[in-house]
Amino acid sequence: MPSPKKIVVQDFMRDSTIWDSVKPRSTDIIIASCYKSGTTLTQQIVNLLVNGNDNFESIHHISPWVELRFQSSETETGLIDSLPSPRILKTHLEFEALPYYQEWKYIYLVRDGRDVGVSLYNHCQTYLNNAYNLSITFDNGSDDFLEFWDLWVETGKPRWPFWENINSWWQVRNLSNILLVHYENLINRKSEEIIRIAKFLNQEINSSKVEMICQFSSFEYMKENWHKFQPPGVFKPQSFINKGTNKRWRNLLTPVQLQRYEIIISQKLEAECANWIKNGIL
Ligand code: A3P
């Protein structure tokens, strides 16, 4: 068993110590990713699995991002305590920065780094100036995609390191309460992945439930109902559920950048992990 919570992460957006105030319940479900890897889609899938509907104004009210520093509708005092069980808690932390309980179920999402970089660029371009009602403006990196990419792939800036986040979850992948899910599989073999997630969470599943979940977690449905899925007061309208496709980087990254990507991934990740990030299916 890994030792619980070995590191504290505090940056301009995340404060892992906020997790200290979460009173654990044996039924808690954690949905984790570095970022831009299908977190919101998975929150909706899990919500549909356990609640059977999406009768909420914002998914972020029923599935908050716990370590988010800013007081917002997601992190209002008492919100997490007041949620019915099972709670669906979102995180972008490394595994070692989270509390670990054998009863908790952790789902970790990954996506090809090239798709994440493209998605993150769009994400950073669409922040409102007064996001989270703050008077400060976040560093959202360069407006020039190629410049944005070069900094991000080496450092994770203007957000946090990508490779280290993946590595931390990869190391614990064999624990029975951790499920790794690849975005590529989630969109291309969705029914199978829904069944896999349902079994992992010990949730009842049948073909009509799979059909219902596919419908209400489809890209088209979530795009049309974007206000339910986009964090309120943070992004320009209709920008968070963006394109929902992979490989857009093929028309954007230069041959030199693609070569550099191959070098970085081989240095940062074990071969099996690198292969999984690129191709999905474990
Ligand atoms: P793109 O920016 O490539 O379109 P996260 O929730 O971790 O921030 O991930 C965001 C990515 O998931 C975005 O990718 C977003 O469009 C995509 N996404 C959200 N809902 C989706 C859905 N129902 N089907 C497919 N992709 C979805």
Side-chain angles (χ1 to χ4, degrees), residues 32-45 60 90 92 109 111 115-116 118-123 183 186-187 190 214 216-223 229 239-246 248:
S33 74
C34 185
Y35 37 63
K36 309 321 293 172
S37 302
T39 326
T40 320
L41 166 58
T42 307
Q43 285 170 281
Q44 171 69 337
I45 290 173
H60 306 282
K90 162 177 151 178
H92 290 309
L109 276 298
R111 189 178 186 185
D115 296 308
V116 171
V118 173
S119 183
L120 185 67
Y121 172 74
N122 170 73
H123 176 94
Y183 177 84
L186 204 50
I187 61 173
K190 197 168 192 178
C214 282
F216 291 102
S217 68
S218 69
F219 182 76
E220 293 69 26
Y221 175 82
M222 288 180 63
K223 182 92 179 164
F229 302 105
S239 58
F240 192 74
I241 308 296
N242 180 26
K243 299 266 194 263
T245 56
N246 284 333
R248 304 197 300 278

Side-chain angles (χ1 to χ4, degrees), residues 18-35:
I18 295 174
W19 280 90
D20 297 344
S21 58
V22 175
K23 292 185 207 99
R25 297 183 199 161
S26 61
T27 50
D28 286 337
I29 300 167
I30 313 301
I31 299 186
S33 74
C34 185
Y35 37 63

Side-chain angles (χ1 to χ4, degrees), residues 12-13 35-36 65 68 70 74 90 92 119-134 136-141 148 158-160 230-237 239-240:
F12 72 105
M13 255 187 194
Y35 37 63
K36 309 321 293 172
W65 178 10
L68 179 65
F70 318 115
E74 283 188 57
K90 162 177 151 178
H92 290 309
S119 183
L120 185 67
Y121 172 74
N122 170 73
H123 176 94
C124 287
Q125 289 283 305
T126 55
Y127 271 85
L128 297 171
N129 284 334
N130 61 342
Y132 298 108
N133 278 328
L134 296 172
I136 51 156
T137 308
F138 297 125
D139 174 7
N140 279 317
F148 178 95
R159 293 298 178 267
W160 40 92
Q230 175 162 320
V234 187
F235 300 97
K236 293 176 189 158
S239 58
F240 192 74

Side-chain angles (χ1 to χ4, degrees), residues 78-92:
L79 170 72
I80 294 173
D81 259 356
S82 72
L83 292 171
S85 298
R87 295 184 296 193
I88 306 164
L89 304 175
K90 162 177 151 178
T91 184
H92 290 309

Side-chain angles (χ1 to χ4, degrees), residues 117 120-121 124 140-142 144-152 158:
L120 185 67
Y121 172 74
C124 287
N140 279 317
S142 174
D144 177 287
F145 173 71
L146 298 182
E147 250 179 55
F148 178 95
W149 170 271
D150 283 339
L151 181 66
W152 174 74

Side-chain angles (χ1 to χ4, degrees), residues 143-211:
D143 290 341
D144 177 287
F145 173 71
L146 298 182
E147 250 179 55
F148 178 95
W149 170 271
D150 283 339
L151 181 66
W152 174 74
V153 78
E154 304 285 344
T155 65
K157 290 179 182 166
R159 293 298 178 267
W160 40 92
F162 177 65
W163 307 108
E164 287 71 7
N165 197 292
I166 291 178
N167 236 330
S168 84
W169 288 88
W170 175 253
Q171 299 310 320
V172 292
R173 68 192 177 284
N174 293 326
L175 292 173
S176 60
N177 58 342
I178 293 192
L179 184 75
L180 302 187
V181 177
H182 199 296
Y183 177 84
E184 179 86 17
N185 302 337
L186 204 50
I187 61 173
N188 290 330
R189 319 173 341 137
K190 197 168 192 178
S191 302
E192 286 102 311
E193 289 299 281
I194 290 171
I195 293 168
R196 203 165 70 94
I197 292 171
K199 288 190 174 154
F200 173 71
L201 296 176
N202 299 322
Q203 292 288 321
E204 271 182 38
I205 192 76
N206 55 45
S207 55
S208 61
K209 201 166 174 188
V210 171
E211 208 176 299

